[in-house]
């Protein structure tokens, strides 16, 4: 049985390394141009080289997003950019524009092509069309049910793979094809600049009554009329595998290192547990408890089981739930003194109850009872961003272990 590939977001080089260390089988990222996350840190050419080597050294694949819908002025710069990076051993290019597919095939003939979810791939006739264009993996539209996915899988060539989003933000528009951001503030969602106006609060103004604002409500609880809950399929690993999906994808190139580590860890445990005993798989609620320690909205299963209803919307708030703070990352550890050198990410105070977790390791809790500055002098708190501190650990840790605390 071929194991589901766990595909994680890498918004910058640090997040790529964390995704790799915490259990991703593959990562996806964008260069400084031509992907649909202009607000992410993204990768310079040297960072692509470093990131791909880091991932490949640990057996992890690298997929690069070229999934904008290109305008005329994009064509020449994109072609030149591809020529600059063509010798980097990127495993696949994620594309949605037929013109870009053609250019990649001309510049890098051996490139593996994956069709972005932006292309709205919803049926096997379209799947077979893209197969004839050289595409070998389809990132499915989010608007498909399990039954539709199975039908597609049974009607495409055996060497064409299916990839599906299983976790993260849901777009209110069809597979992300949206003009609202462009219309509202001239930021083009189809060129990587979405401002998420679907999650703003709206009121109605009548032409003859300027200044009189009326709330736009779907029910009496609030006015977030296009505010979907987040997708989460952690409980449904068997169904994902049974549908013929090859790769399960986590959304979130603009999310934090803490988010990437937490979500990848939870899905890694669920997938590994399933393949250890497919017939006797039992979902562990503790995975969800861990998952929810990263920032999140309420969860939905999207379209997988049926079309979403009003139960899949959140009418009360567009804010995230953030019960835990990411307070630091281990940079080194001395097993003799049990002292970890930690890079601070949010304020920590002597006496805090903290949790520490690492790749493939369950978390442990302890009181922050020894806190020193970089020179080994005792301090009461670490309030400065990226301050280097020394902390005594109750259990062994290693580089890139993460510290968090309940807010």
């Amino acid at each position: 049985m071929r194991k589901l590939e766990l595909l994680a977001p890498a918004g910058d080089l640090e997040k790529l390394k964390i995704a790799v260390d915490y259990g991703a089988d593959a990562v996806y990222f964008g260069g400084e141009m031509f992907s649909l996350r202009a607000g992410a840190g993204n990768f310079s050419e040297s960072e692509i080289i470093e990131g791909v080597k880091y991932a490949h050294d640990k057996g992890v694949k690298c997929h690069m997003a070229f999934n904008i819908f290109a305008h005329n002025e994009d064509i020449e710069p994109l072609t030149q950019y591809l020529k600059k990076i063509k010798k980097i051993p990127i495993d696949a290019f994620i594309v949605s524009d037929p013109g870009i597919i053609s250019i990649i095939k001309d510049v890098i003939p051996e490139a593996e092509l994956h069709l972005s979810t932006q292309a709205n791939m919803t049926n096997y006739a379209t799947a077979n069309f893209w197969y004839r264009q050289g595409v070998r993996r389809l990132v499915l539209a989010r608007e498909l049910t399990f039954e539709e996915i199975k039908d597609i899988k049974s009607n495409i060539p055996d060497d064409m793979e299916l990839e599906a989003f299983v976790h993260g933000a849901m777009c209110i528009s069809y597979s992300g094809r949206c003009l609202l951001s462009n219309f509202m503030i001239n930021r083009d969602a189809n060129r990587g600049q979405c401002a998420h106006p679907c999650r703003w609060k709206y009121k109605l103004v009548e032409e003859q009554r300027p200044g009189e604002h009326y709330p736009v409500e779907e029910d009496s609880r609030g006015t977030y009329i296009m505010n979907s809950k987040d997708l989460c399929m952690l409980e449904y690993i068997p169904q994902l595998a049974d549908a013929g999906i090859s790769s399960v994808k986590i959304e979130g190139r603009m999310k934090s290192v803490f988010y990437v580590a937490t979500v990848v860890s939870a899905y890694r445990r669920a997938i590994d547990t399933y393949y250890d005993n497919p017939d006797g798989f039992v979902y562990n609620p503790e995975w969800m408890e861990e998952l929810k320690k990263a920032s999140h909205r309420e969860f939905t299963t999207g379209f997988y089981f049926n079309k979403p209803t009003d139960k899949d919307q959140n009418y009360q708030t567009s804010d995230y739930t953030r019960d835990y703070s990411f307070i630091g990352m281990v940079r080194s550890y001395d097993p003799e003194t049990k002292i970890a050198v930690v890079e601070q990410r949010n304020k920590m105070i002597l006496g805090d109850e903290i949790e520490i977790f690492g790749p493939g390791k369950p978390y442990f809790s302890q009181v922050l009872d020894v806190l020193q500055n970089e020179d080994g002098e005792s301090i009461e708190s670490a309030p400065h961003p990226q301050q280097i501190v020394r902390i005594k650990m109750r259990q062994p840790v290693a580089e890139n272990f993460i510290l968090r605390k309940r807010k």
Side-chain angles (χ1 to χ4, degrees), residues 311-323:
K311 305 300 181 187
D312 298 281
Q313 294 289 105
N314 185 343
Y315 302 115
Q316 297 174 310
T317 178
S318 61
D319 291 341
Y320 285 91
T321 298
R322 294 183 172 93
D323 293 330

Side-chain angles (χ1 to χ4, degrees), residues 189-399:
N190 297 304
R191 299 175 86 183
Q193 300 169 354
C194 184
H196 308 287
C198 58
R199 299 188 188 275
W200 298 351
K201 184 182 287 189
Y202 288 89
K203 292 185 177 180
L204 181 69
V205 177
E206 199 274 324
E207 183 178 10
Q208 299 301 318
R209 296 175 175 82
E212 295 186 30
H213 293 211
Y214 301 92
V216 180
E217 297 183 339
E218 286 209 2
D219 65 18
S220 60
R221 291 177 293 171
T223 61
Y224 298 92
I225 59 172
M226 297 178 285
N227 184 37
S228 173
K229 296 179 181 179
D230 281 357
L231 180 65
C232 180
M233 294 296 289
L234 185 66
E235 296 183 44
Y236 304 103
I237 301 301
Q239 291 90 333
L240 292 162
D242 183 60
I245 293 167
S246 297
S247 179
V248 291
K249 188 171 191 175
I250 297 167
E251 182 273 339
R253 277 193 281 152
M254 294 177 67
K255 300 291 179 66
S256 69
V257 165
F258 179 41
Y259 176 92
V260 172
T262 303
V263 176
V264 168
S265 291
Y267 277 88
R268 179 77 278 153
R269 289 176 187 144
I271 290 169
D272 289 348
T273 300
Y274 170 70
Y275 284 98
D276 285 343
N277 184 10
D279 294 329
F281 174 76
V282 177
Y283 167 73
N284 186 344
E286 291 180 3
W287 303 332
M288 184 65 75
E289 291 176 17
E290 276 295 288
L291 186 69
K292 287 182 175 180
K293 290 179 180 179
S295 63
H296 63 280
R297 300 182 183 95
E298 292 181 64
F299 290 131
T300 172
T301 56
F303 289 78
Y304 278 106
F305 293 99
N306 49 256
K307 290 182 179 180
T309 67
D310 61 322
K311 305 300 181 187
D312 298 281
Q313 294 289 105
N314 185 343
Y315 302 115
Q316 297 174 310
T317 178
S318 61
D319 291 341
Y320 285 91
T321 298
R322 294 183 172 93
D323 293 330
Y324 281 77
S325 283
F326 169 34
I327 59 170
M329 182 175 292
V330 173
R331 291 308 180 202
S332 64
Y333 175 70
D334 184 343
E336 292 188 6
T337 63
K338 299 182 179 178
I339 294 291
V341 175
V342 174
E343 182 182 291
Q344 183 260 39
R345 295 300 178 94
N346 277 292
K347 185 176 181 179
M348 60 182 87
I349 301 172
L350 195 68
D352 278 344
E353 180 79 26
I354 64 173
E355 295 179 359
I356 303 99
F357 72 103
K361 304 289 185 183
Y363 78 89
F364 66 93
S365 301
Q366 69 171 62
V367 173
L368 186 55
D369 51 8
V370 175
L371 181 62
Q372 303 170 342
N373 65 17
E374 197 169 1
D375 297 322
E377 301 166 334
S378 295
I379 54 176
E380 294 293 319
S381 67
H384 307 300
Q386 295 185 300
Q387 180 178 354
I388 300 300
V389 298
R390 292 158 52 88
I391 296 172
K392 191 161 190 176
M393 293 293 176
R394 187 169 62 81
Q395 293 184 21
V397 296
E399 184 181 7

Side-chain angles (χ1 to χ4, degrees), residues 115-123 138-145 148-149 152 162-165 170 174-176 303-304:
L115 189 73
S116 171
T117 191
Q118 294 294 119
N120 316 132
M121 214 303 301
T122 56
N123 64 78
L138 304 169
V139 187
L140 297 167
R142 287 179 172 89
E143 295 79 15
L144 293 172
T145 65
E148 289 176 302
I149 294 169
I152 290 171
L162 302 181
E163 177 180 307
F165 279 95
M170 294 283 285
Y174 211 85
S175 288
F303 289 78
Y304 278 106

